[in-house]
Amino acid sequence: MTRHVVEIGRPDKVLFPGDGITKADLAGYYRTVARRMLPQLRGRPLMLERHPDGTDGPAFMQKDVPDHFPDWIHRVELPKEDGTVTYVICDDTATLRYLAGQACITPHRFLSRADRPGHPDRLVFDLDPADEDFAPVREAALGLHQLLDELELPSLLMATGSRGLHVVVALDRRAPFDEVRAFARGVAGVLAARHPGRFTTEARKKARRGRLYLDVQRNAYAQTAVAPYAVRARPGAPVAAPLAWSELDDPRLTSRRWTLATVDGLLEDDPWQDAPRPRSLRRPGSLLGALVRDEGSPTP
């Protein structure tokens, strides 16, 4: 395997002014977590959240690979409505460090792989609170965990490093995005119908009336979700961190529990080490249909 030397330009450039975190610090963090992070990125198109002037300056989301990126960085050209997009694929530590050197603070990944982009191998429920109260996020995550268990679908938990939690299901890539999103909507609908005062599937903010929104919209072609172990462009440089389900019982848990500064603690254990094998949606879909028939039609 060819090793590529990555020189970080302007390594002392401060990206997090309130914390004094530099571009070199960011690149060092990504080198440290690469062993855990790369299996979550390999083969996946990425959207790059770049902050060239630091988190206090303007930011932009980049899909197309810039011309100046080196040839050794892997790419994939995928269709869009009016043409194509050439995305970065991060398969190695050198690419991860190079992206940090380009002030990409947060890589966002496809839920599918480049070789079969229309068939996801991840399903994501995005749980963000209506305000700063984190309790509804815990309740929604626990409710989804229990409901997915009823449907015989093991799930994983991740703090987003921003406001909420992601509940993630590994899939076998047989079902296309439309089928996966319809299943996710059905699951969210059942949970909302069971707890109509707490959760909703209503996308319009005015219609949520303070309830937590069970968001499944990321489950679509070319949509992305924050990558595990990615740094977020927020004060303190919080990290999107895989969690064990038992951590929901910890009253100190928030979406920003882990930060770039606490990487050593983050890497002490791997909550996803024994991640379940990818599953088909065939039987869970049948079980979901039975639940809907037994419990009535879900409502927002």
Side-chain angles (χ1 to χ4, degrees), residues 71-99:
D71 292 343
W72 52 262
I73 288 181
H74 296 172
R75 300 156 164 81
V76 63
E77 185 176 358
L78 295 177
K80 64 176 182 177
E81 186 173 343
D82 57 350
T84 62
V85 177
T86 301
Y87 294 94
V88 167
I89 294 181
C90 183
D91 288 332
D92 52 38
T93 303
T95 301
L96 198 53
R97 279 177 45 79
Y98 183 86
L99 296 179

Side-chain angles (χ1 to χ4, degrees), residues 24-265:
D25 295 329
L26 181 70
Y29 164 81
Y30 278 126
R31 179 173 56 193
T32 298
V33 301
R35 180 173 57 85
R36 293 271 184 87
M37 191 175 185
L38 286 172
Q40 307 294 332
L41 297 179
R42 285 192 181 102
R44 297 180 187 279
L46 299 181
M47 184 165 63
L48 311 178
E49 181 182 336
R50 296 178 63 187
H51 296 256
D53 296 315
T55 58
D56 285 355
F60 62 97
M61 305 295 283
Q62 187 158 45
K63 295 181 180 180
D64 267 305
V65 178
D67 292 339
H68 68 269
F69 274 34
D71 292 343
W72 52 262
I73 288 181
H74 296 172
R75 300 156 164 81
V76 63
E77 185 176 358
L78 295 177
K80 64 176 182 177
E81 186 173 343
D82 57 350
T84 62
V85 177
T86 301
Y87 294 94
V88 167
I89 294 181
C90 183
D91 288 332
D92 52 38
T93 303
T95 301
L96 198 53
R97 279 177 45 79
Y98 183 86
L99 296 179
Q102 297 297 303
C104 172
I105 292 178
T106 312
H108 300 259
R109 65 176 185 170
F110 268 41
L111 301 183
S112 57
R113 297 182 183 272
D115 63 337
R116 209 174 182 203
H119 289 71
D121 66 347
R122 294 291 185 271
L123 182 159
V124 172
F125 296 91
D126 187 10
L127 309 176
D128 277 343
D131 50 37
E132 293 303 312
D133 184 6
F134 199 68
V137 183
R138 295 173 189 275
E139 295 169 1
L142 181 59
L144 276 172
H145 184 41
Q146 293 170 341
L147 177 52
L148 291 168
D149 280 351
E150 290 181 50
L151 301 175
E152 300 179 5
L153 271 182
S155 54
L156 299 169
L157 184 66
M158 186 181 80
T160 64
S162 179
R163 286 170 47 84
L165 298 172
H166 282 177
V167 175
V168 183
V169 176
L171 302 177
D172 64 3
R173 305 209 294 173
R174 294 182 183 179
F177 266 112
D178 287 348
E179 185 178 327
V180 172
R181 187 169 62 253
F183 175 83
R185 284 175 177 160
V187 172
V190 168
L191 186 62
R194 288 179 175 181
H195 307 282
R198 289 187 284 170
F199 310 133
T200 181
T201 59
E202 180 57 68
R204 295 172 301 159
K205 289 186 177 180
K206 289 184 178 180
R208 296 177 194 172
R209 301 190 300 276
R211 297 171 293 174
L212 184 138
Y213 174 43
L214 303 171
D215 187 357
V216 300
Q217 298 306 311
R218 297 182 186 279
N219 299 287
Y221 173 75
Q223 295 297 306
T224 60
V226 63
Y229 298 101
V231 178
R232 307 308 301 269
R234 286 176 165 264
V239 172
L243 302 173
W245 281 106
S246 60
E247 292 182 74
L248 279 180
D249 298 329
D250 187 341
R252 299 169 298 172
L253 178 65
T254 70
S255 62
R256 298 186 288 275
R257 177 170 186 171
W258 295 104
T259 70
L260 186 149
T262 58
V263 60
D264 290 343

